[in-house]
Amino acid sequence: MSKTAAIVGSGIAGIAAAIRLAVKGYTVDVFEANAYPGGKLSGFEQNGFRFDAGPSLFTMPQLVDELFELAGRNPKDYFDYIRLDETCRYFWDDGTRLTAWADRTAFAREVETQLGEPADHLLAHLDDSATKYAITEKLFLHRSLHKLSTWANRDALHGYLNLPKLEVFKTMNRANEQRFQNPKLVQFFNRYATYNGSDPYQTPATMNIIPHLEYNIGAFFPKDGMIGITNSLVRLAQDLGVRFQFNTRVTKLLTEGARIAGVVTEGSQPKPYDTVVSNMDVVSTFRKLLPNARQPERILRQPKSSSGLIFYWGIKREFPELGLHNIFFSSDYRTEFDRIFNQKTLSDDPTVYLNITSKHKPDDAPPGCENWFLLINAPNNSGQDWDDLIARTRQNVIRKLSQNLGVDVASLIACESILDPRSIEIRTSSSQGALYGNSSNNRFAAFLRHANFSHQFRNLYFVGGSVHPGGGIPLCLLSAKIATDLI
């Protein structure tokens, strides 16, 4: 008789963990409170427009392909994607525009032409990003930080010898100011702190590993949109016998000494499992599902990452000057981050990220229209007057985009939906609506995430953006690998 496993939550990490356990021979049940899988990586339709609800940048597709290959399947039978020729288009209020080309040499020429920054400065930065990634990948990203074996092997020795190259005692902003002459390029690379919900003026320069994913490996687009990642992995899981139980909220994990004895769902009797994997935010897992267990307070009380305010707009026009990914920068980046992390509010001049999947998938919008996904970095939910902040920010975003595009954007909005930190918290059980779990605003942040296993209960494991190695699709997929390798 096969062993049994319960997965709490069907975020991308939970689905990946289910697949990996099914491949190991487990009988797997996935419990999901919502009516749909994917957590933040979901989607919806409105008035003929289709929107990806959450993550919009796809990097490291090999981590998705690996799941199909583990199961002995051809990834192309389930899931397909293209490599992008350009990563993102950037706009500043003074009229400066920059296209980040996927080809490093072309990108370096663009930077030199548009910003006057020597091309070799950019190439050196991308090389440094690759070096940082090579040092940290095997040590931090593919192994648990909470096992002695991680720190006593050849990869660890390589990491120790190259520790100074990680620049853990320097902030990202400081490192970028030392590298580049043009403040716009400093701002450009400071933006990558937002990829894990951090502040470039506080987070260590180690986080300059992030651009490596886009410029040295590449940015990609799933042919069915980002929801295609979720749908294809759910299909694979089901083909492997994984059972998904939607609209089924787990209310408690029953404990019996040093193990989890069973899973309790709303209106149902407890069901025993050999192994339990929580894809629920680790704070919610302990506070809601294990209220009587010893609480790892030091980790649970760590400051949370930033959140996001998202506007989904159906736009009654096409804009050839826009691409799939677009950034409209604020004029004062330091003030914007101070507002978010110190004052817990939003800047009057926010940086706006605009994603338009209809650029590559035309049926995501009616003919002659575009589906706009607009993300503004926001503080996590600390009891702010969100209704007022949303109304003010909406006007500031419209003003900024109208100025940059030379058109009254408000008059083009055919339909609208909004996602804010409150609704993120409710829909995904993310503590305070934080998008990436704990903040990475100090050099010890990597060690202040919960382990992928429980120190109290020998059959309880954790995956997802709130635990090691962190948030974002690639790291969530790696969390599932780390956790299931330990089982």
Side-chain angles (χ1 to χ4, degrees):
M1 188 174 179
S2 66
K3 290 187 176 182
T4 58
I7 312 288
V8 182
S10 68
I12 193 69
I15 301 169
I19 290 168
R20 288 179 176 276
L21 289 177
V23 168
K24 282 177 178 250
Y26 279 74
T27 298
V28 185
D29 288 327
V30 180
F31 298 97
E32 171 56 56
N34 291 308
Y36 54 85
K40 299 180 182 76
L41 194 59
S42 57
F44 67 95
E45 295 185 12
Q46 182 179 4
N47 293 34
F49 295 87
R50 192 200 70 84
F51 299 93
D52 287 316
S56 57
L57 177 65
F58 184 38
T59 58
M60 300 186 74
Q62 70 272 18
L63 296 178
V64 176
D65 288 343
E66 180 183 272
L67 294 168
F68 297 102
E69 292 161 357
L70 273 176
R73 310 298 170 94
N74 181 355
K76 299 298 183 189
D77 291 340
Y78 291 81
F79 178 63
D80 204 4
Y81 52 86
I82 60 170
R83 193 178 196 275
L84 298 174
D85 292 329
E86 63 177 49
T87 300
C88 188
R89 299 183 187 183
Y90 292 85
F91 301 78
W92 282 268
D93 287 349
D94 65 2
T96 302
R97 295 185 177 186
L98 180 75
T99 298
W101 300 103
D103 179 86
R104 286 174 29 134
T105 304
F107 182 27
R109 281 199 305 264
E110 174 90 0
V111 164
E112 191 164 292
T113 301
Q114 300 299 326
L115 301 181
E117 185 81 38
D120 60 341
H121 290 187
L122 177 83
L123 295 174
H125 191 70
L126 297 182
D127 287 343
D128 178 67
S129 184
T131 298
K132 285 180 166 63
Y133 186 82
I135 295 168
T136 59
E137 180 190 16
K138 292 181 180 179
L139 179 60
F140 293 108
L141 301 183
H142 290 267
R143 291 190 173 107
S144 169
L145 291 187
H146 303 80
K147 293 287 187 180
L148 182 60
S149 58
T150 297
W151 305 101
N153 59 71
R154 185 175 298 176
D155 293 327
L157 177 61
H158 176 72
Y160 303 147
L161 294 176
N162 289 278
L163 202 59
K165 295 179 182 178
L166 296 180
E167 299 183 293
V168 295
F169 297 104
K170 187 185 296 182
T171 67
M172 174 185 276
N173 175 71
R174 180 62 178 152
N176 292 339
E177 283 184 335
Q178 290 175 343
R179 172 83 66 185
F180 302 115
Q181 300 167 0
N182 191 309
K184 284 186 171 67
L185 201 55
V186 174
Q187 183 179 33
F188 178 102
F189 280 105
N190 278 352
R191 182 178 82 85
Y192 286 93
T194 67
Y195 281 40
N196 65 1
S198 301
D199 176 355
Y201 303 95
Q202 297 184 61
T203 199
T206 310
M207 291 303 155
N208 275 327
I209 66 171
I210 298 173
H212 170 72
L213 305 183
E214 284 185 29
Y215 298 105
N216 297 322
I217 298 177
F220 302 80
F221 180 75
K223 289 187 175 179
D224 293 328
M226 297 297 285
I227 191 65
I229 303 172
T230 297
N231 291 340
S232 62
L233 291 180
V234 167
R235 182 180 151 212
L236 172 63
Q238 290 173 330
D239 287 352
L240 295 174
V242 174
R243 298 174 295 200
F244 287 83
Q245 301 186 37
F246 298 110
N247 296 306
T248 306
R249 183 182 299 277
V250 173
T251 57
K252 190 175 184 181
L253 297 180
L254 291 180
T255 62
E256 189 176 85
R259 64 184 302 275
I260 302 296
V263 172
V264 182
T265 59
E266 282 181 335
S268 298
Q269 294 298 310
K271 187 174 180 180
Y273 288 93
D274 296 308
T275 298
V276 176
V277 179
S278 180
N279 185 203
M280 196 176 186
D281 185 289
V282 70
V283 175
S284 299
T285 300
F286 277 97
R287 302 296 197 217
K288 296 178 181 180
L289 306 188
L290 291 166
N292 298 321
R294 186 175 72 252
Q295 305 285 301
E297 295 293 349
R298 182 164 177 259
I299 290 175
L300 300 188
R301 290 183 176 177
Q302 286 300 310
K304 302 305 171 208
S305 78
S306 61
S307 184
L309 171 58
I310 304 173
F311 296 98
Y312 308 92
W313 290 345
I315 296 294
K316 300 180 291 186
R317 188 188 137 173
E318 293 180 303
F319 287 82
E321 65 266 49
L322 298 175
L324 171 65
H325 302 293
N326 310 270
I327 291 287
F328 295 82
F329 272 124
S330 68
S331 298
D332 187 344
Y333 221 29
R334 188 181 288 272
T335 294
E336 182 179 4
F337 281 96
D338 179 66
R339 285 291 193 94
I340 293 170
F341 285 97
N342 298 324
Q343 300 180 41
K344 300 293 184 182
T345 188
L346 284 158
S347 169
D348 293 331
D349 177 25
T351 294
V352 180
Y353 165 69
L354 170 57
N355 175 249
I356 311 171
T357 61
S358 60
K359 293 290 185 181
H360 287 278
K361 191 171 176 291
D363 61 350
D364 279 356
C369 300
E370 293 181 343
N371 62 333
W372 284 16
F373 165 108
L374 302 111
L375 170 66
I376 296 88
N377 295 311
N380 54 50
N381 182 25
S382 307
Q384 297 92 330
D385 183 347
W386 285 109
D387 293 334
D388 177 65
L389 280 174
I390 291 167
R392 285 198 290 110
T393 302
R394 185 180 188 276
Q395 293 307 311
N396 289 331
V397 169
I398 288 173
R399 173 191 50 75
K400 189 175 196 68
L401 296 181
S402 298
Q403 174 187 332
N404 275 274
L405 298 174
V407 64
D408 177 19
V409 169
S411 66
L412 301 175
I413 302 173
C415 62
E416 176 181 65
S417 289
I418 299 173
L419 189 66
D420 64 70
R422 297 170 303 183
S423 44
I424 292 171
E425 187 170 13
I426 292 168
R427 292 184 193 180
T428 66
S429 294
S430 301
S431 180
Q432 297 179 243
L435 293 178
Y436 305 95
N438 288 351
S439 166
S440 296
N441 282 341
N442 69 70
R443 65 182 67 102
F444 304 110
F447 305 95
L448 296 173
R449 288 183 175 274
H450 199 282
N452 301 103
F453 63 94
S454 172
H455 292 281
Q456 294 182 66
F457 306 105
R458 61 178 177 266
N459 62 336
L460 176 61
Y461 300 84
F462 301 91
V463 298
S466 69
V467 297
H468 178 72
I473 295 171
L475 298 188
C476 285
L477 291 173
L478 287 171
S479 75
K481 180 180 186 296
I482 293 168
T484 54
D485 281 351
L486 292 170
I487 296 174

